[in-house]
Amino acid sequence: MSKSVLIIYTGGTVGMMNSGSGVLLPFDIENLLKSIPELSRFDFKIDSVAFEKPLDSSNVGPQEWQKLGQIIADNYEKYTGFVVLHGTDTMTYTASALSFMFDDLSKAVIFTGSQLPISDLRTDAKENILTAIELACMTDAEEKSMIPEVAIYFENHLFRGNRTIKANSENFDAFLSPNFPALAEVGIHFKLNDAELRKANKSFSYKSKLSADVALLKVFPGFSAKVFQSVFDNQYLKGLVLETYGTGNIPQDKHLIAGLKRLSERGVHVLVVTQCIMGSVELGRYATSEDLKALDVCSGKDITSAAAVTKMMHVLANCESPEEIKALLRKSIRGEVTV
Ligand code: ASP
């Protein structure tokens, strides 16, 4: 069977050009693809589809994740793999969200973008796009995708999307996966990390529902529970991702603990993550995490904040029982956490 790839253009620097006044503005998919004549040298079919209006990824959220998820679900059987062109700023959120929305993925969904626009002489867009296409179409002898994952390809590395952070706003090497090895290193050769890559499954399904009744709160020295009272007592809040210090520590402030207790009593799910880019939450290691441990919170262990927020949105929208929600928050459902 001949291979084929669908490129989905959502926006981002990759497709922007200088407006003349110094501000970068998006341009359309036809012009973007015309800037890469090398595409004609692939010996398989390349189709493309674009959001009506290309977006800076700062303006991408759950609605756009659903739109993107639907495009992939609708075209799932038609293509060998998918390449998503996306802004780098929120790429980790979109890739994480899609990793949860797709169950039993058997094809590659490779996100990429660039730090310099395709129109720029020194652009990193070409290499990123051409390699992402190659990765999306890599199959084994039985024509199964070798990368049945939602992944991010950027500057020689392929990372699991829900393990990735944007770590650099300037370097071509913009992304890191601090708590999980790269899925592939790309130099002269493609070196796939077969031991870590997920295995292809047959029963793909797409769950589009997401709950936006979620907040992400970062503790900091001087954190005033009074200032954040409206968050703790917010009637719409169903899930809170709490970014704590180190291994899950928070200031031993009675108002903060009382606020968290009120949340817990109202049945709001709390997922505890760390502000450190490496390492894991370990509740109870210090006295400063014992109050949290005593509440019925879930440890996010080494999950990224982007994966924690999107997992919370997915789990809250798709599960009924509080027990099931807690069980899913505590375990790895798409390889997003080390358990
Ligand atoms: N602001 C841009 C975006 O995320 C940055 C980029 O694409 O690198 O859409």
Side-chain angles (χ1 to χ4, degrees), residues 1 6 11 112 115 136 180 199 223 238 257 269 315 332 338:
M1 198 182 79
L6 181 64
T112 196
Q115 293 284 61
F180 195 74
K199 303 291 164 258
F223 184 98
K238 296 205 182 85
I257 314 289
H269 299 279
V315 168
S332 167
T338 312

PDB file of all heavy atoms in Angstrom, residues 1 6 11 112 115 136 180 199 223 238 257 269 315 332 338:
ATOM      1  N   MET A   1       0.854  -1.198   0.000  1.00  0.00           N
ATOM      2  CA  MET A   1       0.000   0.000   0.000  1.00  0.00           C
ATOM      3  C   MET A   1       0.888   1.245   0.000  1.00  0.00           C
ATOM      4  O   MET A   1       1.853   1.297   0.755  1.00  0.00           O
ATOM      5  CB  MET A   1      -0.868  -0.004   1.265  1.00  0.00           C
ATOM      6  CG  MET A   1      -2.060   0.902   1.163  1.00  0.00           C
ATOM      7  SD  MET A   1      -3.000   0.902   2.702  1.00  0.00           S
ATOM      8  CE  MET A   1      -2.029   1.986   3.705  1.00  0.00           C
ATOM      9  N   LEU A   6      -1.250  13.426   5.942  1.00  0.00           N
ATOM     10  CA  LEU A   6      -2.087  14.631   5.951  1.00  0.00           C
ATOM     11  C   LEU A   6      -1.396  15.673   6.832  1.00  0.00           C
ATOM     12  O   LEU A   6      -1.126  15.431   8.007  1.00  0.00           O
ATOM     13  CB  LEU A   6      -3.483  14.308   6.518  1.00  0.00           C
ATOM     14  CG  LEU A   6      -4.442  15.501   6.559  1.00  0.00           C
ATOM     15  CD1 LEU A   6      -4.761  16.029   5.148  1.00  0.00           C
ATOM     16  CD2 LEU A   6      -5.754  15.151   7.281  1.00  0.00           C
ATOM     17  N   GLY A  11      -1.386  27.108  12.364  1.00  0.00           N
ATOM     18  CA  GLY A  11      -0.825  28.460  12.522  1.00  0.00           C
ATOM     19  C   GLY A  11       0.540  28.391  13.171  1.00  0.00           C
ATOM     20  O   GLY A  11       1.241  27.392  13.056  1.00  0.00           O
ATOM     21  N   THR A 112       4.894  19.668  14.757  1.00  0.00           N
ATOM     22  CA  THR A 112       6.131  20.423  14.590  1.00  0.00           C
ATOM     23  C   THR A 112       5.796  21.875  14.288  1.00  0.00           C
ATOM     24  O   THR A 112       4.635  22.248  14.090  1.00  0.00           O
ATOM     25  CB  THR A 112       7.069  19.800  13.523  1.00  0.00           C
ATOM     26  OG1 THR A 112       8.376  20.352  13.695  1.00  0.00           O
ATOM     27  CG2 THR A 112       6.591  20.049  12.098  1.00  0.00           C
ATOM     28  N   GLN A 115      11.059  28.034  15.005  1.00  0.00           N
ATOM     29  CA  GLN A 115      11.367  29.258  15.744  1.00  0.00           C
ATOM     30  C   GLN A 115      11.487  30.443  14.790  1.00  0.00           C
ATOM     31  O   GLN A 115      11.216  31.572  15.162  1.00  0.00           O
ATOM     32  CB  GLN A 115      12.685  29.088  16.529  1.00  0.00           C
ATOM     33  CG  GLN A 115      12.610  28.077  17.661  1.00  0.00           C
ATOM     34  CD  GLN A 115      11.866  28.618  18.876  1.00  0.00           C
ATOM     35  OE1 GLN A 115      10.692  28.962  18.782  1.00  0.00           O
ATOM     36  NE2 GLN A 115      12.536  28.678  20.003  1.00  0.00           N
ATOM     37  N   ALA A 136       6.195  10.542  10.333  1.00  0.00           N
ATOM     38  CA  ALA A 136       4.766  10.198  10.298  1.00  0.00           C
ATOM     39  C   ALA A 136       4.503   9.002   9.397  1.00  0.00           C
ATOM     40  O   ALA A 136       3.500   8.301   9.557  1.00  0.00           O
ATOM     41  CB  ALA A 136       3.955  11.406   9.834  1.00  0.00           C
ATOM     42  N   PHE A 180      11.540  11.853  30.568  1.00  0.00           N
ATOM     43  CA  PHE A 180      11.301  10.678  29.731  1.00  0.00           C
ATOM     44  C   PHE A 180      12.252  10.749  28.527  1.00  0.00           C
ATOM     45  O   PHE A 180      12.407  11.815  27.938  1.00  0.00           O
ATOM     46  CB  PHE A 180       9.841  10.646  29.260  1.00  0.00           C
ATOM     47  CG  PHE A 180       9.419   9.328  28.702  1.00  0.00           C
ATOM     48  CD1 PHE A 180       9.186   8.247  29.548  1.00  0.00           C
ATOM     49  CD2 PHE A 180       9.288   9.146  27.335  1.00  0.00           C
ATOM     50  CE1 PHE A 180       8.827   7.015  29.039  1.00  0.00           C
ATOM     51  CE2 PHE A 180       8.924   7.911  26.811  1.00  0.00           C
ATOM     52  CZ  PHE A 180       8.689   6.850  27.674  1.00  0.00           C
ATOM     53  N   LYS A 199       3.066   0.760  21.714  1.00  0.00           N
ATOM     54  CA  LYS A 199       2.789  -0.250  20.687  1.00  0.00           C
ATOM     55  C   LYS A 199       1.456   0.070  20.000  1.00  0.00           C
ATOM     56  O   LYS A 199       0.511   0.524  20.642  1.00  0.00           O
ATOM     57  CB  LYS A 199       2.729  -1.655  21.298  1.00  0.00           C
ATOM     58  CG  LYS A 199       4.005  -2.038  22.053  1.00  0.00           C
ATOM     59  CD  LYS A 199       5.206  -2.239  21.120  1.00  0.00           C
ATOM     60  CE  LYS A 199       6.547  -2.230  21.846  1.00  0.00           C
ATOM     61  NZ  LYS A 199       7.352  -1.014  21.776  1.00  0.00           N
ATOM     62  N   PHE A 223       2.581  33.564  49.050  1.00  0.00           N
ATOM     63  CA  PHE A 223       1.250  33.168  48.549  1.00  0.00           C
ATOM     64  C   PHE A 223       0.189  33.553  49.589  1.00  0.00           C
ATOM     65  O   PHE A 223       0.278  33.175  50.753  1.00  0.00           O
ATOM     66  CB  PHE A 223       1.245  31.640  48.361  1.00  0.00           C
ATOM     67  CG  PHE A 223      -0.011  31.097  47.767  1.00  0.00           C
ATOM     68  CD1 PHE A 223      -0.104  30.818  46.411  1.00  0.00           C
ATOM     69  CD2 PHE A 223      -1.130  30.848  48.560  1.00  0.00           C
ATOM     70  CE1 PHE A 223      -1.259  30.297  45.864  1.00  0.00           C
ATOM     71  CE2 PHE A 223      -2.289  30.332  48.019  1.00  0.00           C
ATOM     72  CZ  PHE A 223      -2.353  30.059  46.671  1.00  0.00           C
ATOM     73  N   LYS A 238     -13.881  22.188  39.234  1.00  0.00           N
ATOM     74  CA  LYS A 238     -14.028  20.738  39.479  1.00  0.00           C
ATOM     75  C   LYS A 238     -12.669  20.054  39.641  1.00  0.00           C
ATOM     76  O   LYS A 238     -12.582  18.964  40.191  1.00  0.00           O
ATOM     77  CB  LYS A 238     -14.756  20.080  38.309  1.00  0.00           C
ATOM     78  CG  LYS A 238     -16.193  20.559  38.125  1.00  0.00           C
ATOM     79  CD  LYS A 238     -16.999  19.484  37.409  1.00  0.00           C
ATOM     80  CE  LYS A 238     -18.418  19.913  37.150  1.00  0.00           C
ATOM     81  NZ  LYS A 238     -18.543  20.694  35.905  1.00  0.00           N
ATOM     82  N   ILE A 257      -4.084  25.838  53.710  1.00  0.00           N
ATOM     83  CA  ILE A 257      -4.512  24.462  54.012  1.00  0.00           C
ATOM     84  C   ILE A 257      -6.051  24.422  54.136  1.00  0.00           C
ATOM     85  O   ILE A 257      -6.695  23.509  53.607  1.00  0.00           O
ATOM     86  CB  ILE A 257      -3.901  23.943  55.354  1.00  0.00           C
ATOM     87  CG1 ILE A 257      -2.404  24.258  55.444  1.00  0.00           C
ATOM     88  CG2 ILE A 257      -4.200  22.457  55.563  1.00  0.00           C
ATOM     89  CD1 ILE A 257      -1.510  23.487  54.544  1.00  0.00           C
ATOM     90  N   HIS A 269     -11.254  17.765  42.599  1.00  0.00           N
ATOM     91  CA  HIS A 269     -10.063  16.911  42.518  1.00  0.00           C
ATOM     92  C   HIS A 269      -8.807  17.768  42.451  1.00  0.00           C
ATOM     93  O   HIS A 269      -8.747  18.727  41.682  1.00  0.00           O
ATOM     94  CB  HIS A 269     -10.154  16.013  41.284  1.00  0.00           C
ATOM     95  CG  HIS A 269     -11.342  15.103  41.337  1.00  0.00           C
ATOM     96  ND1 HIS A 269     -11.336  13.930  42.049  1.00  0.00           N
ATOM     97  CD2 HIS A 269     -12.594  15.238  40.833  1.00  0.00           C
ATOM     98  CE1 HIS A 269     -12.517  13.363  41.956  1.00  0.00           C
ATOM     99  NE2 HIS A 269     -13.304  14.143  41.220  1.00  0.00           N
ATOM    100  N   VAL A 315     -10.253  13.738  31.843  1.00  0.00           N
ATOM    101  CA  VAL A 315     -10.796  12.778  32.806  1.00  0.00           C
ATOM    102  C   VAL A 315     -12.107  13.292  33.412  1.00  0.00           C
ATOM    103  O   VAL A 315     -13.090  12.547  33.528  1.00  0.00           O
ATOM    104  CB  VAL A 315      -9.719  12.476  33.893  1.00  0.00           C
ATOM    105  CG1 VAL A 315     -10.325  11.740  35.054  1.00  0.00           C
ATOM    106  CG2 VAL A 315      -8.574  11.669  33.289  1.00  0.00           C
ATOM    107  N   SER A 332      -0.843   6.104  34.927  1.00  0.00           N
ATOM    108  CA  SER A 332      -0.458   6.544  33.588  1.00  0.00           C
ATOM    109  C   SER A 332      -1.485   6.011  32.601  1.00  0.00           C
ATOM    110  O   SER A 332      -1.723   4.810  32.545  1.00  0.00           O
ATOM    111  CB  SER A 332       0.927   5.988  33.258  1.00  0.00           C
ATOM    112  OG  SER A 332       1.186   6.158  31.887  1.00  0.00           O
ATOM    113  N   THR A 338       5.548   8.579  35.115  1.00  0.00           N
ATOM    114  CA  THR A 338       6.297   7.382  35.511  1.00  0.00           C
ATOM    115  C   THR A 338       5.675   6.821  36.767  1.00  0.00           C
ATOM    116  O   THR A 338       5.595   7.531  37.778  1.00  0.00           O
ATOM    117  CB  THR A 338       7.772   7.756  35.801  1.00  0.00           C
ATOM    118  OG1 THR A 338       8.269   8.565  34.740  1.00  0.00           O
ATOM    119  CG2 THR A 338       8.631   6.528  35.985  1.00  0.00           C
TER     120      THR A 338
END
